[in-house]
Amino acid sequence: MAFSLAERIEKRQGEQYALYRQYLNSGLARVQAIIGFDKIYTRGEGAYLWDVKGQRYLDLLSGYSVFNLGRGHPVVKQVMQEMLAMERPNLVKMDCPLLAGLLAEELVKRMPPGLDAVFFANSGADAVDTALKFARAATRRPRMLYLDHAFHGLTLGTLSINGGPQFREGFEPLMPGFDAIEMNDLEGLERELRRGDVAAFVVEPIQGKGVYIPADGYLLEAQRLCRKYGTLFVCDEVQVGLGRTGRFLCCEHWGLEPDLVTLSKSLGGGYVPVSATLTRRSIYDKMFSRLDRCQVHSATFGENELAMAAGLAALHVLEEERLIERAATIGQKLMAGLTALQERHDLIADVRGKGLMIGIEFRPPRSLGLRAAWTAAETAQKGLFAQLVVMALMRDQQILTQVGGPGVNIIKLLPPLIIGDQEVEAIIAAFDAVMAEAAHIRGRVWGLSGQLIKHAVSQGA
Ligand SMILES: Cc1ncc(COP(=O)(O)O)c(C=O)c1O
């Protein structure tokens, strides 16, 4: 019998949550049902998703920044189809693939000075793990430093530089000598660096969990201190790179010149997993130090041609459609509109970000009645109010957002970089409406809290 994917999907449509519960992560499926995210999506295009009932949703998650170009970008899609039609000899392994060379060349052109060598792998965590290995090989030092709240992936290597206790718990012991320091504490950093045993200091130029932005001057001075003590300075651009913050690399906002840069997510154009670790040739060659060690680090699918082609197409689209400039200007409009809401809604404590990476932080309400509800929610689970807002945005406004990290009252917006004035206006109006509802204890936002609290409490028990 012939295999038809379309037929199979049609026949089984609607079973996804049951299958997921049975064969994959049942806890995640339950949470999605509790927060009202258990939709049956049937189509994605640009900045939007559609469900089986034809309802349209504005996607401000973008697959955690995979879909910077929007879903199904026609140029990337055409390149993918072209690749399949060409029947190129993919993954020969014992050759040097042309497309890997071409993508490496394009990436190097866009890097800060000196970063002229590339290693391709499959995921953000892969890219960061690779950076850690480069740092060990190049410095022969054991330790790594990272920031509080940092997120660099969830493999054991990257978990060892994860600044969130919620992620680390249950997997310890992690790598010895990998230590967290506080953002903006230069003295603390220097104290550690002075010991002379730190291979690398790894930072996200803007932190993904919480959208925390370092004080101006901090990263530049941290980089200077790293140079002084022979420690490599790593910018993890997996989420903030490739135009998200209005620059090709986020570290450009501060004129940084890191020793290593990591990229992933939208490099695959929304189609193929891929990551890149960029560094200087002198560092690169320390890992692959002899001919018999030329494969001491590798990833089977690392240079696969579909990923390389998607990367080339993604870079082309970024430039051709001036999406980086667009992220900067549209981001400014969105930030301005959201910031203006602060005057009307006292629950909004802060709106921050760069380009189209935006965090909205909430604070306890002034009104006594609301404050009791806030306290009950926070006692059940920290960050629960932000979750209520995410749920209300989905239920009442058909907008997908996320809580900005475990236990924080922050919402993070990561829209595709293709959004325009129409989406900006829709997002601002939606937030305005949800925050207005949240000002009423008997309104639709707090009405959602009962079931969340019930589940939070039973989870904790
Ligand atoms: C800054 C950063 N580094 C690394 C990662 C890990 O990427 P992946 O999930 O592809 O392993 C992420 C994922 O969100 C990230 O935001």
Side-chain angles (χ1 to χ4, degrees), residues 64 122-126 128 151-155 158 204 206 208-209 236-240 262 264-265 412:
Y64 301 149
N122 311 298
S123 69
D126 261 2
V128 177
F151 188 91
H152 300 287
L154 295 174
T155 57
T158 54
E204 298 152 89
I206 295 178
K209 299 286 176 217
D236 180 356
E237 296 263 355
V238 163
Q239 184 154 107
V240 290
T262 53
S264 186
K265 300 206 189 258
K412 182 161 75 167

